Amino acid sequence: MTETFVYAIPMRTRFRGITVREGMLIRGPLGWGEFCPFPEYDDREAASWLATAVEQVTVGWPEPVRELIPINCTVPAVDPGRAHAIVAGSGCRTAKVKIADHPDSLSEDLARVEAVRDALGPDGSVRVDANAVWDVETAVTHIKQIDRAAGGLEYVEQPCRTIEELAAVRRRVDVRIAADESIRRADDPLRVAVAGAADIAVLKCTPLGGVGRALQVAEAAGLPCVVSSALETSVGLAAQLALAAALPELEFACGLGTLSLLEGDLVRESLRPVDGFMPVPKSPPTPDPALLEQYRHPDPERTRWWEDRLTRVRALAPPK
């Protein structure tokens, strides 16, 4: 029987609507992998997350073409003072700012990106993520205002939900548009490029089904790529770094410094950026027994929920 472990790690700040990050570690021949689809995802969608963990512990990753990955810091929906402190203390020259976390957030968003620009100075890059909550008209209006407040945006990530809406926004603003959900939840990622919906593809290998699958998606999309975290511990984050290391070209900083959002980690040598860069691990990190005990899920019912979920999702995997 495969060894598994269910964890629960508190968040420093509410992010994606959660205050505790839950997931599972799975052990295989090559070490440990991570299975951590968010609770609202159904079993079919969670199967890709499991495929990433299985790839990590049984197949491994392609050879890297670079050893260091440029990283952006991540700024949650916090007040301007906290946003400034996060960026100033990160060592990163690019900041990804969460916006649009509630319907009346525009004034807060403007203040947040102004603080981030102040912390970065004129030469840093500011990008924002709206998580697909706007309609086209709202996106166009808000992007123009946020672009001015930021002193120029590098790009806006997923301002609207559909590919058609992204294309409409892209035609009406001067800021580059990045697609995230429209790529990882699409049956055909090439549609984003063909529709003229985005300038940049955001790749998250964890929900895409692994490093190998994500490289295929990158090739099909035909766009410059940014690799971004799915809020994993260092065990799962290693796969994201392996993807960033294997991409033929990497023009933009990647969103992989997300351990700063968690109160802890499951390994001693956490995968965190130093001076805006992260080294590429040669193999999956090994969890520390003391940290496993510290972050073992305290709720037996919730632990069973994860174990049952793994059993159901495994049953969806095609026979090999």
Side-chain angles (χ1 to χ4, degrees), residues 80 99 105-116 142-150:
I99 57 172
S105 70
L106 180 60
S107 62
E108 299 167 15
D109 297 338
L110 296 174
R112 190 177 306 120
V113 297
E114 285 175 353
V116 168
H142 287 201
I143 287 170
K144 290 178 179 179
Q145 294 183 64
I146 293 170
D147 185 43
R148 287 194 295 270

Side-chain angles (χ1 to χ4, degrees), residues 163-175:
I163 291 174
E164 293 73 21
E165 288 172 326
L166 290 183
V169 171
R170 184 169 177 258
R171 289 192 295 267
R172 294 174 57 186
V173 300
D174 295 327
V175 179

Side-chain angles (χ1 to χ4, degrees), residues 103-185:
D104 299 316
S105 70
L106 180 60
S107 62
E108 299 167 15
D109 297 338
L110 296 174
R112 190 177 306 120
V113 297
E114 285 175 353
V116 168
R117 171 55 70 196
D118 184 70
L120 282 173
D123 298 328
S125 297
V126 181
R127 55 181 68 160
V128 295
D129 183 3
N131 283 122
V133 301
W134 290 330
D135 59 41
V136 171
E137 293 303 322
T138 302
V140 170
T141 301
H142 287 201
I143 287 170
K144 290 178 179 179
Q145 294 183 64
I146 293 170
D147 185 43
R148 287 194 295 270
L153 289 170
E154 184 180 49
Y155 64 74
V156 178
E157 182 175 326
Q158 200 71 39
C160 303
R161 185 177 61 85
T162 70
I163 291 174
E164 293 73 21
E165 288 172 326
L166 290 183
V169 171
R170 184 169 177 258
R171 289 192 295 267
R172 294 174 57 186
V173 300
D174 295 327
V175 179
R176 284 178 288 201
I177 301 298
D180 175 9
E181 289 90 345
S182 290
I183 287 177
R184 62 184 165 88
R185 290 187 163 181

Side-chain angles (χ1 to χ4, degrees), residues 2-300:
T2 303
E3 184 178 355
T4 61
F5 174 85
V6 180
Y7 67 80
I9 302 177
M11 308 280 297
R12 295 184 186 275
T13 304
R14 179 182 292 273
F15 193 80
R16 286 190 90 262
I18 63 172
T19 56
V20 177
R21 185 63 168 121
E22 297 181 348
M24 296 186 77
L25 299 188
I26 301 172
R27 191 172 192 173
L30 300 183
W32 290 87
E34 187 165 352
F35 175 62
C36 57
F38 293 103
E40 68 268 21
Y41 291 178
D42 63 23
D43 290 350
R44 182 190 60 79
E45 191 164 2
S48 294
W49 297 64
L50 181 58
T52 301
V54 170
E55 176 194 62
Q56 182 163 324
V57 304
T58 62
V59 178
W61 305 315
E63 284 296 314
V65 299
R66 59 187 63 84
E67 296 181 352
L68 289 174
I69 307 301
I71 301 297
N72 69 248
C73 65
T74 300
V75 181
V78 294
D79 65 74
R82 178 64 182 144
H84 192 286
I86 289 170
V87 176
S90 71
C92 299
R93 299 302 304 144
T94 300
K96 175 180 174 178
V97 186
K98 289 292 183 179
I99 57 172
D101 70 316
H102 64 86
D104 299 316
S105 70
L106 180 60
S107 62
E108 299 167 15
D109 297 338
L110 296 174
R112 190 177 306 120
V113 297
E114 285 175 353
V116 168
R117 171 55 70 196
D118 184 70
L120 282 173
D123 298 328
S125 297
V126 181
R127 55 181 68 160
V128 295
D129 183 3
N131 283 122
V133 301
W134 290 330
D135 59 41
V136 171
E137 293 303 322
T138 302
V140 170
T141 301
H142 287 201
I143 287 170
K144 290 178 179 179
Q145 294 183 64
I146 293 170
D147 185 43
R148 287 194 295 270
L153 289 170
E154 184 180 49
Y155 64 74
V156 178
E157 182 175 326
Q158 200 71 39
C160 303
R161 185 177 61 85
T162 70
I163 291 174
E164 293 73 21
E165 288 172 326
L166 290 183
V169 171
R170 184 169 177 258
R171 289 192 295 267
R172 294 174 57 186
V173 300
D174 295 327
V175 179
R176 284 178 288 201
I177 301 298
D180 175 9
E181 289 90 345
S182 290
I183 287 177
R184 62 184 165 88
R185 290 187 163 181
D187 294 328
D188 180 12
L190 184 60
R191 282 188 60 217
V192 173
V194 171
D199 304 278
I200 296 163
V202 178
L203 301 181
K204 298 178 179 178
C205 85
T206 305
L208 281 172
V211 176
R213 168 62 178 155
L215 289 172
Q216 294 173 355
V217 170
E219 183 177 7
L223 297 170
C225 294
V226 171
V227 180
S228 188
S229 159
L231 205 58
E232 309 94 333
T233 72
S234 285
V235 176
L237 196 59
Q240 306 278 16
L241 284 163
L243 169 59
L247 285 168
E249 297 181 8
L250 191 65
E251 179 181 348
F252 297 96
C254 291
L256 301 177
T258 49
L259 279 173
S260 63
L261 301 173
L262 302 179
E263 288 285 0
D265 195 11
L266 300 177
V267 306
R268 285 293 171 193
E269 299 295 327
S270 292
L271 298 177
R272 300 179 185 272
V274 177
D275 296 328
F277 290 86
M278 291 174 70
V280 177
K282 294 180 171 55
S283 59
T286 301
D288 180 87
L291 291 172
L292 289 179
E293 194 57 39
Q294 180 177 350
Y295 294 113
R296 180 185 300 277
H297 206 300
D299 184 348

